[in-house]
Amino acid sequence: MVELPMRSSGAMDRQSILSINQIKVQGVRDKKNILEINRPNNREKNPAPSQPQINTPQMAMPKLNNTIRKGQKAPLENAGKLTGIEACLGWNVKNPACDVDVSAFLLSGNKVISDDWFVFYGQPDSPDNSTSISSDGKTDRQVVTIDFTKINEKVEKIVFVLTINEALENGLNFNMVQDAYIRILKPDTKSEIVSFLMDEYYENATSMMIGEIYKHNGSWKFNAIGSGVARDLAGLCELYGVQID
């Protein structure tokens, strides 16, 4: 069983991010090996750049019932207050070397509350235990579960991000990905509230902000973003205010 350190002991740096979800630390880490983290799928460490050892089977995309387009916003609470949601994400790849991961950043304004307010495969729960990430593997690839009754009152926005593992090292980008979607479900009935299917993929992007939920006048709404950046996980942490030396 892999031991997962869940919280930083102080300001998070590149070494602490890199050591998350490892069986044991093997020397000093830096930005280049942030994505060598030993994740639960036990991928081979340090694969040759030309032949990464990745096996990402194709998945059938679930039916999306209430889709909106890039840039559109939709309320989540038309029929009364929600106690929570499930943000379900999926994708397929055109290049089998692409290993895509999900992260969610909990923001106050446009920055995290503090350094450990983001969830991903190496830190699957938020400090307030309101937000958790898990693998589905059946209908969707990843599910971010959010409990609005537990969420810290400072959290105004949660951004859902897709990143390609070792994209910079292996010359990978989001033009090699397809069928990327996010669908927001009610946890009790599993009925879809809203969904977004990406239709733009970029050769210069290694991470994609696929969507976000945010509070507006006390109610939660969804925003379909679909925008990419040329940053890895460490770069995203810097973008959202996680302190990295």
Side-chain angles (χ1 to χ4, degrees):
M1 181 176 181
V2 178
E3 181 179 357
L4 301 176
M6 299 303 298
R7 302 285 176 259
S8 61
S9 58
M12 185 169 288
D13 57 19
R14 291 188 183 278
Q15 181 174 345
S16 62
I17 291 178
L18 296 172
S19 65
I20 290 173
N21 203 27
Q22 292 180 327
I23 295 177
K24 56 184 177 180
V25 177
Q26 300 178 345
V28 177
R29 300 295 184 176
D30 56 24
K31 180 176 181 180
K32 289 184 178 180
N33 54 32
I34 185 171
L35 297 177
E36 295 174 4
I37 295 171
N38 182 22
R39 302 197 338 230
N41 62 2
N42 294 321
R43 62 166 152 261
E44 177 184 341
K45 290 187 177 182
N46 299 320
S50 59
Q51 296 180 342
Q53 301 300 308
I54 304 299
N55 181 19
T56 304
Q58 299 291 295
M59 290 186 67
M61 186 166 54
K63 183 178 180 181
L64 304 178
N65 299 311
N66 301 301
T67 58
I68 61 175
R69 296 185 63 82
K70 178 179 178 177
Q72 289 186 312
K73 300 176 176 62
L76 300 181
E77 300 181 295
N78 277 338
K81 299 293 290 184
L82 284 174
T83 58
I85 61 166
E86 291 180 355
C88 306
L89 299 97
W91 57 86
N92 283 308
V93 298
K94 294 183 283 186
N95 184 333
C98 291
D99 185 15
V100 180
D101 299 310
V102 175
S103 304
F105 289 82
L106 287 74
L107 309 179
S108 177
N110 292 316
K111 301 295 181 182
V112 293
I113 297 173
S114 62
D115 290 338
D116 53 355
W117 282 83
F118 69 104
V119 299
F120 68 117
Y121 51 79
Q123 184 170 273
D125 296 287
S126 62
D128 58 3
N129 293 313
S130 70
T131 305
S132 62
I133 189 169
S134 61
S135 298
D136 182 331
K138 298 178 181 179
T139 306
D140 311 281
R141 294 195 186 274
Q142 295 280 306
V143 176
V144 181
T145 302
I146 301 170
D147 186 341
F148 291 144
T149 67
K150 296 181 179 179
I151 200 163
N152 189 294
E153 62 181 8
K154 294 181 180 179
V155 176
E156 302 171 340
K157 182 189 302 183
I158 301 177
V159 181
F160 306 101
V161 180
L162 303 177
T163 58
I164 301 175
N165 178 59
E166 295 184 341
L168 301 176
E169 294 84 346
N170 293 315
L172 306 174
N173 61 71
F174 264 90
N175 194 43
M176 303 171 183
V177 179
Q178 60 187 357
D179 304 331
Y181 69 85
I182 180 171
R183 59 193 189 118
I184 308 297
L185 308 183
K186 295 180 179 180
D188 51 353
T189 63
K190 307 300 181 183
S191 59
E192 180 186 304
I193 303 172
V194 65
S195 58
F196 169 53
L197 175 64
M198 277 179 33
D199 58 4
E200 295 180 351
Y201 299 85
Y202 306 99
E203 292 184 355
N204 62 344
T206 55
S207 298
M208 295 289 301
M209 291 75 163
I210 189 169
E212 66 184 15
I213 63 169
Y214 65 99
K215 282 193 292 188
H216 178 70
N217 293 331
S219 297
W220 289 94
K221 301 183 71 173
F222 173 76
N223 178 23
I225 302 177
S227 296
V229 293
R231 291 174 179 258
D232 57 12
L233 181 58
L236 287 174
C237 288
E238 292 174 337
L239 179 67
Y240 289 119
V242 179
Q243 296 184 20
I244 300 176
D245 295 331

